[in-house]
Amino acid sequence: MTSSDVATQRDSAIEQHSIDYVPAAERHGKVWHQGPFWFTGNFVLPTMVAGFVGASMGLSVWYSVLAIVLGVGAGTFFMAFHANQGPRMGLPQMIQSRAQFGSRGSTVPFAATVFVYVGFLVFDTVLAEQGLGLLLPDGKLFWYPVLIALSIVIAVVGHDLLHFVQRWLTYLLVVVFAVLTVVAIVNFGSNPVPADVPAATAGWDLTAFLVQFSLAAGYNISYSVYVSDYTRYLPANVPARGLIAAVYTGAAFSAVWLMSLGAILASYLPDPDPILALREVGDLLFPGFGLIVVMTSVLALISIMGVNAYGAMLTGASALDGFRKVRPTVRLRVTGLVVVGLVSLVVALLIPDDYIGSFNNFVLMMLYFLVPWTAVNLVDFYFVRRGKYAIAEILKPDGIYGRWAWRGVTAYVIGFAAMIPFFSTTFYVGPVADALGGADFSFVVGLTVSGVLYLLFSRNLDHEAEAVARVASEAELEGSDR
């Protein structure tokens, strides 16, 4: 890349990179920005909905909160450690998987990842439209396309705008929801418990505790698929400990807060709807405050829709590049985003009205598909290759990492298969989960089996050949004078 190319990248309002490498000369940003980015990224209504499930199954508020804290703490651990890959490799999250799965073998986790992105886009669109319907004329056929189009515009501008919007929304969200949380705790804690709300009969239930724990863990593990998308512009020498801590703190704090608020609302409101529940509780402070809370939530939903559309575009382009080499241009980004938007629109229009039940199953399915991938990816980065990759070879569909890397694919498939007896959803309960009363330990099994198998399979990797390729890769990407 010439100096004039670098100047063009810096001066353009629209991000120029997609699935390609970010050179050292274009690295920018601060580690602390990751905290508010992931706080706002997680501070959206689907996060609150994930906190409903414990109470709906008869778990008390405090046991629900405990399950949420433990689940989020475990899930965010894996998500945050992916953050360190971005500045070390300068690549989006999922294209890094080629080193473990091969350029075509990586379509196995890619398919699951696109499912996650589109799923979140759909649920965010549905919730945002319901929120706007409290203030403006309702209408899915109008608002769904408008909301998705707004998210695509944000994603087209790209990385820096998404960081800017997420960072400044943090301040608004903290103020508004701090007030709402105090109102909820004071009101529900000081008034008698009505006989028709879950809190009246709630207590301890092992199955409900484990389901809530799994949902909380799976929810934050799902963010693993695009952590590096938003850390890859950081300088390569940023401290790993500080970066991981910033991502962990932002993502865990917001998830614990909002899921716990969801547990409170689900305990004291019969059959809570996320939008109507926020308005009802907010209006306890003064009439109209509930609407302020909902509109603030809609802004956060539109922002994270942009994040999800951006990630889906990167993953889709990475998958296509494995079969037919593509040029990582702005046109590719725009085309990919439009396709993602159209698919999301169709799914949103077809989703049933009882989306909360669908959402819980969706979160569990994310957990099932992504856990084997995150195990393989993290074991490779931290224990097998220790962060040392020939980046230029990853970007070549026929590079040294191959088209089908049997180690990663095999570890993923076996890990996923080992999880099946432990699955527990509304449409399928595995034999082990059934014997445990519906408790779901599948993510522990998937992490262990896939991670250990990949480590064993990788004992005979040719690290010397890869070391030679790394030297050539560095010269190709950054110039031979570095």
Side-chain angles (χ1 to χ4, degrees):
M1 178 177 288
T2 67
S3 59
S4 61
D5 291 331
V6 172
T8 300
Q9 302 273 25
R10 287 174 171 171
D11 296 338
S12 176
I14 296 177
E15 182 185 1
Q16 303 297 302
H17 290 290
S18 58
I19 61 173
D20 51 326
Y21 172 75
V22 180
E26 295 179 47
R27 302 294 185 91
H28 62 279
K30 299 177 180 178
V31 168
W32 75 265
H33 288 173
Q34 296 294 321
F37 180 90
W38 293 107
F39 176 91
T40 298
N42 230 0
F43 211 88
V44 287
L45 291 182
T47 308
M48 188 176 77
V49 172
F52 284 0
V53 67
S56 70
M57 296 177 67
L59 200 62
S60 72
V61 172
W62 293 115
Y63 283 130
S64 293
V65 171
L66 177 61
I68 287 165
V69 170
L70 294 176
V72 168
T76 312
F77 176 87
F78 297 98
M79 170 226 171
F81 272 83
H82 285 287
N84 191 37
Q85 297 170 318
R88 313 309 163 200
M89 301 177 72
L91 295 175
Q93 186 71 67
M94 291 308 295
I95 200 168
Q96 300 171 13
S97 300
R98 288 181 171 183
Q100 303 95 47
F101 295 88
S103 61
R104 293 186 177 176
S106 57
T107 54
V108 176
F110 284 2
T113 303
V114 171
F115 168 77
V116 169
Y117 284 131
V118 172
F120 269 123
L121 263 169
V122 168
F123 287 112
D124 292 341
T125 301
V126 171
L127 287 166
E129 187 274 336
Q130 290 181 348
L132 289 172
L134 299 182
L135 182 64
L136 299 168
D138 200 357
K140 297 178 181 179
L141 292 177
F142 175 76
W143 284 115
Y144 283 6
V146 169
L147 289 166
I148 290 172
L150 282 173
S151 69
I152 289 175
V153 169
I154 295 172
V156 166
V157 178
H159 175 275
D160 287 356
L161 178 61
L162 287 162
H163 261 285
F164 177 83
V165 172
Q166 296 277 90
R167 188 161 63 250
W168 286 100
L169 269 176
T170 296
Y171 303 111
L172 177 62
L173 288 167
V174 167
V175 172
V176 171
F177 274 85
V179 174
L180 181 77
T181 303
V182 171
V183 170
I185 293 173
V186 170
N187 180 76
F188 294 135
S190 60
N191 293 326
V193 179
D196 63 338
V197 302
T201 57
W204 167 255
D205 185 283
L206 178 61
T207 299
F209 184 88
L210 292 172
V211 170
Q212 181 65 82
F213 174 86
S214 295
L215 279 171
Y219 192 88
N220 267 21
I221 285 175
S222 72
Y223 282 94
S224 299
V225 299
Y226 53 127
V227 179
S228 285
D229 296 354
Y230 299 98
T231 63
R232 74 191 198 275
Y233 279 89
L234 289 170
N237 61 352
V238 295
R241 183 176 298 179
L243 176 58
I244 293 169
V247 172
Y248 188 98
T249 302
F253 180 45
S254 57
V256 168
W257 181 354
L258 211 51
M259 287 184 193
S260 298
L261 179 60
I264 294 172
L265 298 182
S267 297
Y268 291 97
L269 297 175
D271 299 320
D273 174 276
I275 298 295
L276 298 180
L278 288 183
R279 185 176 68 172
E280 180 179 344
V281 175
D283 283 347
L284 294 173
L285 182 63
F286 62 83
F289 182 67
L291 190 60
I292 294 174
V293 175
V294 171
M295 291 303 111
T296 302
S297 300
V298 170
L299 290 176
L301 284 168
I302 294 172
S303 177
I304 197 62
M305 285 170 65
V307 172
N308 283 308
Y310 183 89
M313 172 272 300
L314 290 175
T315 303
S318 298
L320 179 63
D321 185 70
F323 293 87
R324 180 180 178 181
K325 186 64 180 175
V326 298
R327 292 185 61 225
T329 61
V330 173
R331 171 185 254 180
L332 173 69
R333 293 179 57 239
V334 174
T335 302
L337 286 166
V338 170
V339 171
V340 169
L342 290 174
V343 172
S344 302
L345 175 60
V346 171
V347 176
L349 290 171
L350 295 176
I351 193 171
D353 291 335
D354 182 22
Y355 63 89
I356 292 181
S358 301
F359 179 77
N360 290 337
N361 283 327
F362 167 69
V363 173
L364 286 172
M365 291 305 295
M366 289 191 304
L367 182 69
Y368 300 153
F369 282 112
L370 296 180
V371 157
W373 167 80
T374 198
V376 169
N377 186 261
L378 289 177
V379 166
D380 186 68
F381 184 84
Y382 287 100
F383 298 104
V384 176
R385 292 186 168 95
R386 301 181 184 275
K388 298 177 180 179
Y389 297 86
I391 304 300
E393 296 298 316
I394 290 178
L395 295 171
K396 298 172 183 176
D398 56 351
I400 65 167
Y401 297 105
R403 294 186 181 275
W404 295 89
W406 69 269
R407 294 176 179 84
V409 174
T410 305
Y412 179 96
V413 172
I414 294 176
F416 183 84
M419 294 170 66
I420 294 175
F422 297 83
F423 286 179
S424 182
T425 68
T426 59
F427 57 85
Y428 173 77
V429 178
V432 177
D434 186 52
L436 296 173
D440 190 330
F441 291 101
S442 60
F443 77 96
V444 176
V445 175
L447 285 169
T448 304
V449 173
S450 292
V452 171
L453 282 179
Y454 185 77
L455 192 61
L456 292 174
F457 293 159
S458 300
R459 288 180 300 175
N460 62 347
L461 273 176
D462 188 350
H463 292 289
E464 292 184 5
E466 193 171 0
V468 173
R470 280 202 307 273
V471 175
S473 170
E474 180 75 5
E476 181 178 342
L477 294 174
E478 296 285 359
S480 59
D481 58 333
R482 284 188 84 243

